[in-house]
Amino acid sequence: MLDHLEPDGHELRALLEQVTTGLAGFVDGLPQAPVDGRGTAPEIVDLVAEPPGESPGDVGKVLSFALKAGAAAIETASPRFFGYVPGGGLVSSAVGELMARVLNRFTAIGDFAPGLVALEHGVLTWLGELFGLPAGATGILTSGGSAAMLSMVVAAREDRLGPEADPGTARLYVSDQTHYCVAKAAHVAGFPARSVRLVATSDGRRLDPVALAAAIEQDRAAGLRPFLVVGTAGTTNAGAVDPLAAIAGVAREHRLWFHVDACYGGFFQLTARGRARFEGIGEADSITVDPHKSLFLPYGTGALLVRERRLLAASYPGDRAAYLPDVTGETLPDYAHLGFELTREHRGLRIWLPLHLHGVAAFRRALDEKLDLAGHLHEALAALPGLELPHPPELSTVVFRLRDGDEDANRALLERIRSGGRVLLSGTRLDGRFTLRLCVLSPLTHREHIDEAVAAVRAALHG
């Protein structure tokens, strides 16, 4: 029992051995685990909600409760989870996170922990180079795309509008396929709903650059202040990629900040096919990516990249609090002055460690496999009678629906597929119609799991 708060090395090893045993069993069982484990929730919810006691608990019992609580969930890392955007939960990343938590360094000020700040800065520099941003590009690691998007909107506001601008006259441009975190970020940053203008899509999927230019010109003529346009490198709905190069040209001509939301699809940039589909991404003023999506890392890992460090630094007041140190990062960044977090967790090791342990080529192979699997899935579903597939996949998301079915029929089909308990997919609205979607992104997903998903759809069609 741990009845004190200062375990020594021996006690730590004993604790970690028990934790490792439990987690190793979880990892080994993951390929065959139920994709939806929420059936066990009733028996564990009340148990783990009990308040802690005054006396130390039995280590084995406490850890068992924690693992049971974790098992009562949709298994988003399952090879048969195709709903929403799967999260890989790469174990080597979790090891890096454990190291970061035990080391417990304060990395908001570069001089406080120069080793880990340099490591994190190196990750961000590599990301900037990956997306073709110029030398000197940098950014911040965040808890995810939503936090990154908020920092971006604030930076764009300060750079293109200035601190005294009337937010009610500002305009930022998105399509109806843009992730809703952009509208949330705009709201938190002080913009009324009317400041977010929807631009028509060319085909129901991709933002139309011609319509964008017309909207900007119309708003300027009305005395409004256009300042930001958001393109998407892989929409959540259908995996569509906006014409980034063309949007960049419109943004440049009209002096707008151009942001690319690459949270879902961004790391397909590691592949030749991804780079071809993301043509123009390097012309962005900023890019958001979620390593917890297409880099397969655990949840809670996002990034905002910008062309220049000053664009982030200018987002926040220049005067520091009297209690903060006078030191500042000349070579290394002070992340406290590039984002709105002062106390922040170190997020670099969870990305740096798996990249260096496995090598970039391992991630590239896995991503190429997901593109191949999505192509195979599309072909297999297209061969099933009665289904309509609106378009082939650009990345790893495949959408389909009943050719002659209404919304109720398609929802019923989704429920029949999910009721088998082996595969889980989700639905969305596309072209004004309820549509089923599968996103192939778990590192554990291989050809046999795609074939199992197709078999589940086939059985549901005849069910």
Side-chain angles (χ1 to χ4, degrees):
M1 292 187 179
L2 293 173
D3 59 353
H4 57 90
L5 302 181
E6 302 175 22
D8 57 23
H10 174 75
E11 291 170 313
L12 177 61
R13 279 190 292 272
L15 175 62
L16 290 180
E17 283 175 4
Q18 293 191 63
V19 172
T20 300
T21 298
L23 291 179
F26 165 77
V27 170
D28 286 344
L30 192 54
Q32 294 303 322
V35 70
D36 189 346
R38 289 175 295 177
T40 62
E43 65 190 58
I44 193 66
V45 167
D46 292 339
L47 189 62
V48 295
E50 290 291 324
E54 285 294 319
S55 302
D58 177 79
V59 173
K61 188 176 182 180
V62 170
L63 294 178
S64 175
F65 285 172
L67 288 170
K68 287 179 179 178
I74 291 176
E75 187 49 79
T76 56
S78 167
R80 296 179 300 279
F81 178 78
F82 305 104
Y84 314 104
V85 179
L90 198 64
V91 172
S92 55
S93 178
V95 173
E97 180 68 1
L98 173 63
M99 294 174 67
R101 295 296 190 176
V102 174
L103 291 171
N104 195 35
R105 298 295 183 244
F106 185 81
T107 56
I109 304 295
D111 193 58
F112 272 38
L116 288 183
V117 171
L119 182 152
E120 191 163 332
H121 181 58
V123 167
L124 288 161
T125 299
W126 174 76
L127 287 173
E129 293 171 350
L130 174 64
F131 289 101
L133 295 178
T138 187
I140 52 173
L141 297 181
T142 68
S143 60
S146 295
M149 199 68 74
L150 176 58
S151 286
M152 179 280 294
V153 171
V154 171
R157 181 193 68 193
E158 296 300 300
D159 185 64
R160 300 302 162 101
L161 297 175
E164 304 301 324
D166 175 8
T169 64
R171 290 294 181 270
L172 62 99
Y173 301 88
V174 300
S175 81
D176 65 358
Q177 300 298 299
T178 302
H179 197 281
Y180 82 117
C181 72
V182 178
K184 287 175 63 179
H187 176 75
V188 174
F191 294 100
R194 66 179 181 274
S195 291
V196 181
R197 177 161 180 174
L198 285 182
V199 177
T201 54
S202 58
D203 56 0
R205 312 282 188 277
R206 300 164 188 81
L207 190 149
D208 184 349
V210 175
L212 171 64
I216 294 169
E217 291 165 2
Q218 182 184 54
D219 286 342
R220 280 231 168 91
L224 303 175
R225 298 189 64 188
F227 78 104
L228 167 66
V229 58
V230 178
T232 305
T235 60
T236 302
N237 265 354
V241 180
D242 284 334
L244 303 178
I247 296 171
V250 174
R252 189 165 51 246
E253 178 183 354
H254 292 277
R255 303 180 303 283
L256 270 63
W257 180 296
F258 174 39
H259 177 77
V260 175
D261 174 6
C263 285
Y264 152 46
F267 287 98
F268 285 104
Q269 178 77 1
L270 287 169
T271 71
R273 284 173 284 181
R275 288 192 299 276
R277 289 163 193 172
F278 296 162
E279 179 185 358
I281 197 169
E283 299 180 53
D285 293 290
S286 57
I287 302 169
T288 44
V289 291
D290 272 348
H292 62 226
K293 292 175 181 169
S294 49
L295 204 63
F296 314 125
L297 304 192
Y299 290 123
T301 314
L304 169 64
L305 307 173
V306 294
R307 298 183 77 84
E308 301 175 59
R309 186 188 299 184
R310 67 169 184 82
L311 297 172
L312 286 179
S315 300
Y316 304 99
D319 295 336
R320 300 188 181 199
Y323 54 78
L324 289 176
D326 292 332
V327 296
T328 186
E330 295 297 332
T331 302
L332 296 176
D334 288 338
Y335 292 119
H337 307 302
L338 300 181
F340 53 81
E341 293 177 296
L342 179 53
T343 301
R344 62 188 294 276
E345 57 187 330
H346 170 70
R347 300 181 177 104
L349 265 169
R350 67 177 76 158
I351 306 176
W352 182 92
L353 190 68
L355 285 169
H356 284 262
L357 278 177
H358 307 300
V360 174
F363 291 90
R364 182 178 298 109
R365 287 193 300 271
L367 289 165
D368 266 321
E369 181 194 26
K370 305 316 159 197
L371 294 175
D372 291 340
L373 291 175
H376 168 63
L377 174 61
H378 180 268
E379 291 178 3
L381 291 177
L384 297 180
L387 291 185
E388 170 191 345
L389 280 77
H391 61 85
E394 288 187 72
L395 297 175
S396 66
T397 299
V398 177
V399 294
F400 69 98
R401 57 200 174 211
L402 292 168
R403 183 175 292 111
D404 300 319
D406 60 11
E407 179 160 339
D408 289 343
N410 277 292
R411 287 187 180 276
L413 175 62
L414 175 62
E415 289 308 309
R416 289 198 299 274
I417 297 169
R418 295 178 63 155
S419 66
R422 289 292 292 173
V423 300
L424 194 152
L425 53 155
S426 56
T428 188
R429 189 165 294 280
L430 207 59
D431 311 316
R433 297 175 58 188
F434 186 80
T435 302
L436 287 70
R437 60 183 294 284
L438 297 94
C439 185
V440 183
L441 207 60
S442 170
L444 300 178
T445 299
H446 304 298
R447 176 69 176 260
E448 62 267 28
H449 306 110
I450 298 299
D451 292 341
E452 190 172 354
V454 173
V457 174
R458 183 186 298 109
L461 285 170
H462 293 95

